[in-house]
Amino acid sequence: MTKLNIVLFGPPGAGKGTQSAFLIERYGLVHLSTGDLLRAEIKAETKLGLEAKELMDQGELVPDHIVIGMIRNMMEAHLEAKGFIFDGFPRTRAQAEALDEMLNLKSEPIVAMLALEVPEQELVKRLIGRGATSGRADDKDEAIIRNRIREYENKTAPLKDYYSAQGKFKGIDGVGSIEEITARLMKAIG
Ligand code: ADP
């Protein structure tokens, strides 16, 4: 049986976490969010967590080998999964190549990259709004939010071309109600 391995893509604040919750339920997938995994390390005060926190609080990416290792461990822990939703990963070309290598070894490639598209002004508004309740240091300060968006544009957005070249890129309008956007994603999955 082919596995439904999906990259849910988009800038910070695009709604990847919110939409993942619906998709995992609808399709019985395992959610792999590197942001959530890193925040769990911070909460547990591990060495890795301490190292990651400094970078995350500034809106910088954490090193590739750290997130690639976390993803590898989680995939090995969920061999039974019907598929994975990768949320916030890959974020660099090296991460995308490492992911392809891991999945191709098992002949379970990414079937689609669903890219939520949201204008920058709307992203900043959403993230500042979330900062009021999330307690996330990186959501509180507009300069840090803009730095995250810059990191996305410089290092992560080019992955659209990487997946386009494989015929897997699907752009999804990420503005609208949560339900409308879920419906667009489900239509794209087919
Ligand atoms: P958002 O999409 O809102 O920025 P995330 O939870 O996905 O939230 O990421 C929060 C932070 O965690 C990022 O700004 C970055 O510092 C770090 N991070 C998460 N995933 C990765 C990744 N794949 N590579 C590098 N850093 C990551």
Side-chain angles (χ1 to χ4, degrees):
M1 202 194 75
T2 50
K3 298 207 177 187
L4 192 57
N5 288 325
I6 293 173
V7 172
L8 191 56
F9 192 79
K16 301 183 294 289
T18 305
Q19 294 298 333
S20 291
F22 287 96
L23 297 177
I24 57 174
E25 208 171 305
R26 170 72 178 72
Y27 297 100
L29 306 176
V30 172
H31 183 211
L32 293 186
S33 157
T34 40
D36 287 351
L37 293 170
L38 289 166
R39 281 184 290 276
E41 296 282 340
I42 292 173
K43 202 165 165 214
E45 298 181 350
T46 64
K47 185 164 166 276
L48 189 162
L50 286 174
E51 199 183 318
K53 185 178 184 334
E54 283 192 33
L55 292 162
M56 290 170 74
D57 284 355
Q58 296 307 315
E60 310 282 332
L61 295 186
V62 308
D64 288 332
H65 72 270
I66 292 185
V67 287
I68 291 167
M70 291 195 314
I71 289 284
R72 179 176 285 120
N73 290 340
M74 291 303 286
M75 283 171 53
E76 276 164 13
H78 290 280
L79 295 173
E80 81 298 345
K82 288 187 197 163
F84 295 104
I85 290 199
F86 297 94
D87 164 0
F89 180 93
R91 258 178 158 99
T92 63
R93 191 176 171 102
Q95 292 177 24
E97 287 172 351
L99 180 61
D100 271 353
E101 207 176 298
M102 290 186 259
L103 293 173
N104 290 342
L105 275 179
K106 307 203 278 179
S107 304
E108 293 165 1
I110 292 294
V111 297
M113 177 219 233
L114 307 178
L116 291 169
E117 294 170 339
V118 178
E120 173 159 350
Q121 208 187 327
E122 169 77 12
L123 297 173
V124 174
K125 197 178 92 188
R126 287 185 189 177
L127 291 169
I128 288 176
R130 184 172 79 185
T133 53
S134 71
R136 276 177 58 171
D138 61 347
D139 284 346
K140 289 224 167 85
D141 179 315
E142 187 167 335
I144 290 173
I145 289 173
R146 294 212 184 260
N147 194 31
R148 286 158 64 198
I149 296 173
R150 289 292 84 75
E151 283 274 89
Y152 169 80
E153 278 166 3
N154 293 333
K155 298 178 183 163
T156 308
L159 294 181
K160 290 183 210 170
D161 294 336
Y162 180 88
Y163 286 97
S164 280
Q166 298 186 9
K168 293 173 182 170
F169 169 81
K170 293 186 191 187
I172 309 283
D173 179 3
V175 181
S177 71
I178 291 176
E179 296 76 17
E180 279 164 351
I181 297 162
T182 307
R184 288 175 201 148
L185 288 166
M186 283 172 45
K187 193 168 163 223
I189 294 170

